[in-house]
């Protein structure tokens, strides 16, 4: 659906439900692939000096080059500025981390609560932010440093499923694969909720910290759970579109 803002530019809002993906072709030639349970807000036509969109969820951006009009993605606390490039952004409100992974080109990231920091990513790098306010541990200072109440972030490499494999964990969803490597069960459950359109509830807190590595392509949720049971010991019950883990 669309609505008009005060500048009379029509803003389009696209939402993808669970178990589905969609592809959006923007007027500048950029292509955006949306993962499940994702919302993208974008203008029907880009006007002014920048091309700005707003993301909640996960999307893969293939941005058309236009050096005079930077493309900016607003995703939670993260603002990603590019000229022409391909990158993935994952910003779900119920995930503990927000991340962006650069495939090619260059991107510049600023954080809404750390505006003086400019983080430049190179290809194959990933930026990870805590999704909650980061409190530095240690002795309390009378005058807190700005960093103590601002977002914590780290820069790392993207994840190859195997050292001799071209499969990239962060972007595998674009190819309809759910790939996970040393993933905590609690984090994997969030992904499986969006993948299968169901809910997970942990009745045994110890199981949240189980770690799994694997790939799901055409498996249904029961085949997936039974495969995970071969790795770690747990039981599950399915009722009213909810999986209870024991």
């Amino acid at each position: 659906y669309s609505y008009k803002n005060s500048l009379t530019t029509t803003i389009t809002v696209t939402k993808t439900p669970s178990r589905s993906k969609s592809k959006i072709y923007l007027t500048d030639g950029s292509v955006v692939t949306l993962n499940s349970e994702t919302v993208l807000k974008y203008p029907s036509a880009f006007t002014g000096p920048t091309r700005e969109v707003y993301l909640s969820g996960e999307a893969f951006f293939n941005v058309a080059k236009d050096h005079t009009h930077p493309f900016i993605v607003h995703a939670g606390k993260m603002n990603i500025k590019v000229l022409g490039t391909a990158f993935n952004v994952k910003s779900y409100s119920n995930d503990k981390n927000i991340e962006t992974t650069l495939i090619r080109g260059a991107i510049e990231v600023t954080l809404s609560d750390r505006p003086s920091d400019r983080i430049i990513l190179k290809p194959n790098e990933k930026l990870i932010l805590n999704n909650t306010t980061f409190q530095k541990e240690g002795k309390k200072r009378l005058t807190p440093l700005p960093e103590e109440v601002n977002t914590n972030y780290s820069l790392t490499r993207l994840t190859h499923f195997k050292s001799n494999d071209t499969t990239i964990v962060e972007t595998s969803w674009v190819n309809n694969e759910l790939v996970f490597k040393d993933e905590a069960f609690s984090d994997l459950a969030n992904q499986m909720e969006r993948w299968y359109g169901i809910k997970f509830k942990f009745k045994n807190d110890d199981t949240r910290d189980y770690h799994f590595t694997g790939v799901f392509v055409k498996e249904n949720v029961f085949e997936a759970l039974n495969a995970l049971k071969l790795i770690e010991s747990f039981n599950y019950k399915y009722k009213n579109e909810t999986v209870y883990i024991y």
Side-chain angles (χ1 to χ4, degrees):
Y1 61 93
S2 300
Y3 61 90
K4 296 206 172 183
N5 66 11
S6 58
L7 299 174
T8 70
T9 301
T10 302
I11 302 295
T12 304
V13 181
T14 298
K15 295 182 178 180
T16 52
S18 57
R19 295 185 296 175
S20 65
K21 301 172 186 64
S22 64
K23 194 167 277 194
I24 297 171
Y25 298 86
L26 302 178
T27 54
D28 66 334
S30 299
V31 181
V32 187
T33 307
L34 304 186
N35 203 349
S36 306
E37 296 184 20
T38 294
V39 178
L40 184 72
K41 297 180 183 179
Y42 55 97
S44 55
F46 290 113
T47 57
T50 58
R51 300 171 283 165
E52 301 194 35
V53 301
Y54 293 81
L55 177 74
S56 174
E58 182 166 23
F60 185 83
F61 291 86
N62 205 329
V63 175
K65 280 196 171 82
D66 183 348
H67 292 292
T68 57
H69 298 88
F71 191 100
I72 300 171
V73 180
H74 301 283
K77 291 181 176 180
M78 191 161 54
N79 305 297
I80 304 160
K81 180 180 174 183
V82 305
L83 298 172
T85 184
F87 60 102
N88 195 77
V89 183
K90 188 177 182 184
S91 178
Y92 286 104
S93 58
N94 64 336
D95 281 353
K96 66 183 180 186
N97 291 325
I98 299 171
E99 58 184 51
T100 182
T101 306
L102 180 61
I103 304 303
R104 67 171 185 270
I107 60 179
E108 177 186 285
V109 180
T110 55
L111 309 179
S112 53
D113 56 2
R114 300 178 78 148
S116 61
D117 287 13
R118 285 189 135 54
I119 309 155
I120 308 295
L121 267 72
K122 296 171 185 168
N124 301 324
E125 286 186 335
K126 177 170 73 169
L127 177 69
I128 303 171
L129 314 184
N130 275 11
N131 209 357
T132 53
T133 303
F134 172 64
Q135 294 291 348
K136 202 171 186 179
E137 294 179 1
K139 294 179 181 177
K140 291 182 180 178
R141 293 185 177 88
L142 293 175
T143 310
L145 294 172
E147 287 79 11
E148 290 187 317
V149 291
N150 288 346
T151 307
N152 182 30
Y153 64 84
S154 60
L155 203 56
T156 180
R157 304 284 292 175
L158 59 75
T159 313
H160 283 283
F161 185 62
K162 295 177 182 172
S163 57
N164 59 347
D165 190 2
T166 57
T167 301
I168 298 169
V169 172
E170 289 81 5
T171 59
S172 60
W173 65 270
V174 178
N175 300 317
N176 294 310
E177 296 177 329
L178 178 58
V179 180
F180 44 100
K181 186 173 182 178
D182 196 25
E183 190 91 42
F185 203 174
S186 55
D187 297 330
L188 178 58
N190 281 350
Q191 296 182 62
M192 291 177 71
E193 284 186 346
R194 300 186 281 259
W195 196 259
Y196 293 112
I198 58 173
K199 291 294 178 189
F200 274 76
K201 290 196 184 304
F202 287 89
K203 294 297 187 180
N204 176 354
D205 278 342
D206 290 344
T207 59
R208 289 174 177 271
D209 296 324
Y210 288 169
H211 278 68
F212 297 103
T213 296
V215 180
F216 294 142
V217 183
K218 294 181 179 177
E219 290 84 354
N220 64 38
V221 65
F222 305 114
E223 291 168 336
L225 286 165
N226 289 335
L228 296 178
K229 280 183 68 175
L230 296 174
I231 303 169
E232 290 282 6
S233 176
F234 67 90
N235 291 306
Y236 70 87
K237 186 168 72 176
Y238 181 77
K239 186 179 179 182
N240 298 331
E241 297 189 353
T242 301
V243 173
Y244 297 88
I245 304 293
Y246 296 90

